């Protein structure tokens, strides 16, 4: 399943109220490392049915980026039960990303 684009309006229902862990990719279209990580994030979304994968465009959703203290992108945050469980910043190989997030 493809990564789900979330907004301020859908963040609670898609991420905080999810019944399984959610990997959220905070990104921007002008960010080189974000572009590099895009296919990796989509691959994770396609391969892993045990987690939900969402994307937040920080240019469109600045309030969400501020709310979660996103200072650099790409930032990846895992939410479990509505709480932050893990976080990492920067482009990484898929296996390294999953390992750093405990997935």
């Amino acid at each position: 399943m493809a990564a789900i684009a979330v907004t301020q309006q859908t963040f609670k229902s898609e991420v905080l109220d999810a019944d399984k862990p959610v990997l959220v990719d905070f990104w921007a279209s002008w960010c080189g490392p974000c572009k590099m990580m895009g296919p990796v994030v989509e691959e994770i979304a396609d391969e892993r049915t045990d987690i939900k994968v969402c994307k937040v465009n920080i240019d469109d959703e600045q309030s969400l980026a501020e709310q979660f203290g996103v200072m650099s992108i790409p930032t990846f945050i895992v939410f479990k039960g509505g709480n932050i469980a893990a976080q990492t910043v920067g482009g990484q190989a898929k296996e390294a990303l999953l390992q750093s997030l405990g997935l």
Side-chain angles (χ1 to χ4, degrees):
M1 183 161 84
I4 301 164
V6 293
T7 64
Q8 183 73 46
Q9 292 74 29
T10 62
F11 193 86
K12 183 178 185 307
S13 63
E14 292 288 355
V15 178
L16 300 180
D17 295 340
D19 58 357
K20 56 185 169 183
V22 183
L23 168 60
V24 181
D25 173 14
F26 289 85
W27 69 284
S29 59
W30 47 264
C31 164
C34 298
K35 290 179 184 178
M36 183 184 79
M37 291 303 294
V40 174
V41 171
E42 290 298 333
E43 200 174 296
I44 293 169
D46 289 341
E47 291 175 358
R48 298 285 300 268
T49 57
D50 59 322
I51 61 174
K52 188 177 200 177
V53 179
C54 296
K55 295 176 72 79
V56 173
N57 183 324
I58 64 157
D59 288 334
D60 298 338
E61 302 299 331
Q62 291 177 356
S63 60
L64 281 174
E66 289 173 17
Q67 181 179 345
F68 294 105
V70 174
M71 302 299 236
S72 299
I73 52 173
T75 290
F76 303 95
I77 302 178
V78 174
F79 290 84
K80 291 181 181 176
N83 298 309
I84 294 175
Q87 183 170 343
T88 190
V89 177
Q92 305 170 47
K94 180 175 74 170
E95 293 75 18
L97 175 64
L98 293 171
Q99 184 175 17
S100 67
L101 294 170
L103 298 172

